[in-house]
């Protein structure tokens, strides 16, 4: 087996085809040493290495060997069983990452949209528990403004002057604010339009912007959990959303010392944003 470039494994009846080098990522592991035909737990049957272990859990082990990262489904719960499997195969780096179970579990993400309408203007403020989500959303929302001096709004304003993009208000990393509609300033009519990518429309009506914003959040996996009126006098409405935030995963960085075939160093790192 040790001379093969491709190895076929049958783990609990589930078949895996992989490279020899993938199984030898950790040369000191039992999984790598099994290729030397000196472990009774691994049987060569009809050209395939048979292992009497859980094949479903082994798929996560193979993913780790290929990526050096632990990335599990949001509904995964068998952390202890997977850790035992990692220890059986001698993959102690993986077992160590799995002990950090609290970093691997999905977290509930909350997002709140507050909308108010006053005269001809609509105001939006978005709060989020994950700053990375708020940052990503702010990059998709653009406010455009334009002025019309001394003329009526019914004249062909849009075709005469280009609209100027405005930065969103960012009171903190966890919220943003913007507005749309029209108002008069020093005798000039000022208009603010809102565009939300990938939709390329520039909307001025607050109700239309709200509808597009809510639809965008639903497409991003958020679930609308409640709507309520915060202030009936100021006409402030609140829309609350939630979704399960999948962790970015835990990974290790491997380096090999010159002239050594073994693992010289393993570092744990977490690539999560918005905490």
């Amino acid at each position: 087996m040790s001379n093969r470039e491709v190895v076929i494994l049958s783990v609990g009846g589930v078949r895996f085809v992989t490279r020899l080098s993938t199984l030898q990522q950790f040369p000191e592991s039992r999984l790598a040493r099994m290729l030397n035909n000196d472990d009774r737990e691994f049987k060569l049957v009809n050209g395939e290495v048979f292992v009497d272990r859980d094949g479903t859990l082994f798929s996560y082990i193979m993913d780790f060997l290929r990526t050096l990262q632990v990335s599990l489904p949001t509904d995964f719960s068998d952390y202890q069983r997977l850790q035992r499997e990692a220890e059986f195969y001698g993959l102690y780096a993986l077992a160590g990452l799995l002990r950090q179970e609290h970093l691997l579990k999905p977290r509930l993400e909350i997002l709140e949209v507050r909308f108010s309408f006053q005269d001809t203007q609509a105001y939006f403020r978005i709060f989020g528990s994950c700053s990375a989500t708020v940052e990503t959303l702010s990059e998709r929302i653009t406010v455009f403004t334009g002025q019309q001096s001394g003329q009526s709004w019914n004249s062909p304003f849009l075709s005469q002057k280009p609209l100027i993009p405005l930065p969103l208000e960012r009171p903190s990393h966890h919220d943003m604010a913007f507005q749309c509609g029209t108002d008069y300033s020093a005798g000039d009519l000022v208009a603010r339009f809102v565009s939300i990518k990938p939709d390329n429309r520039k909307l001025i009506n607050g109700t239309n912007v709200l509808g597009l914003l809510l639809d965008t959040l639903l497409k991003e996996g958020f679930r609308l959990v409640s709507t309520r009126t915060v202030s009936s006098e100021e006409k402030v409405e609140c829309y609350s959303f939630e979704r399960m935030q999948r962790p970015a995963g835990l990974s290790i960085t491997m380096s090999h010392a010159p002239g050594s075939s073994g693992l010289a160093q393993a570092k744990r790192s977490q690539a999560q944003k918005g905490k």
Side-chain angles (χ1 to χ4, degrees), residues 17-271:
V17 181
T18 186
R19 288 179 175 273
L20 176 65
S21 57
T22 300
L23 298 177
Q24 293 178 330
Q25 281 277 28
F26 298 85
E28 305 305 319
S29 70
R30 186 180 189 182
L31 186 61
R33 289 185 283 109
M34 76 167 189
L35 303 173
N36 298 324
N37 294 321
D38 59 358
D39 195 319
R40 291 184 297 177
E41 292 287 348
F42 303 92
K43 304 292 185 181
L44 185 61
V45 180
N46 297 326
E48 299 182 5
V49 181
F50 175 76
V51 189
D52 190 16
R53 303 293 293 191
D54 191 305
T56 300
L57 293 178
F58 189 74
S59 65
Y60 302 121
I61 291 176
M62 284 302 307
D63 183 66
F64 169 75
L65 292 174
R66 289 165 175 153
T67 65
L68 296 181
Q69 185 178 61
V70 182
S71 182
L72 301 171
T74 55
D75 60 348
F76 185 83
S77 60
D78 290 337
Y79 293 93
Q80 292 185 348
R81 290 184 60 214
L82 183 55
Q83 182 181 328
R84 286 201 304 267
E85 292 300 293
E87 292 172 347
F88 169 81
Y89 292 108
L91 298 171
Y92 300 109
L94 173 58
L97 295 181
L98 290 170
R99 292 189 188 101
Q100 304 179 66
E101 181 180 333
H102 64 288
L103 297 178
L104 292 167
K105 287 185 175 180
R107 299 183 179 186
L108 184 65
E109 182 179 355
I110 306 297
L111 195 78
E112 183 178 277
V113 176
R114 293 198 175 191
F115 168 73
S116 63
F117 194 81
Q118 301 175 15
D119 298 327
T120 58
Q121 297 185 79
Y123 298 86
F124 296 83
R125 188 158 185 178
I126 302 174
F127 303 85
S129 61
C130 177
S131 62
T133 297
V134 176
E135 180 67 29
T136 300
L137 188 59
S138 69
E139 293 173 354
R140 296 177 60 177
I141 298 176
T142 306
V143 177
F144 298 89
T145 185
Q147 283 187 339
Q148 179 137 359
S149 177
Q151 302 179 30
S152 68
W153 186 250
N154 294 327
S155 61
F157 164 74
L158 291 179
S159 62
Q160 294 178 356
K161 296 181 180 180
L163 297 176
I164 302 172
L166 292 176
L168 302 181
E169 296 180 39
R170 293 298 306 275
S172 74
H173 293 295
H174 289 273
D175 63 336
M176 74 177 86
F178 59 92
Q179 66 186 81
C180 64
T182 61
D183 70 312
Y184 281 94
S185 176
D188 294 337
L189 186 63
V190 179
R192 288 184 176 87
F193 300 80
V194 174
S195 177
I196 305 177
K197 297 176 182 177
D199 194 300
N200 58 9
R201 292 175 296 170
K202 295 179 176 65
L203 304 176
I204 194 171
N205 182 279
T207 303
N208 293 339
V209 173
L210 177 64
L212 178 59
L213 176 59
L214 300 186
D215 185 60
T216 299
L217 294 175
L218 292 173
K219 289 180 179 178
E220 291 297 319
F222 281 97
R223 182 173 65 92
L224 180 64
V225 293
S226 69
T227 60
R228 69 183 190 276
T229 300
V230 178
S231 172
S232 57
E233 295 180 357
E234 298 179 0
K235 299 180 181 179
V236 179
E237 300 174 355
C238 179
Y239 299 81
S240 298
F241 293 83
E242 66 179 30
R243 73 175 176 183
M244 295 305 294
Q245 179 188 10
R246 182 173 180 174
L250 294 177
S251 62
I252 65 168
T253 302
M254 295 176 60
S255 62
H256 296 271
S260 173
S261 60
L263 179 66
Q265 188 177 16
K267 297 181 180 179
R268 296 186 181 94
S269 64
Q270 186 179 17

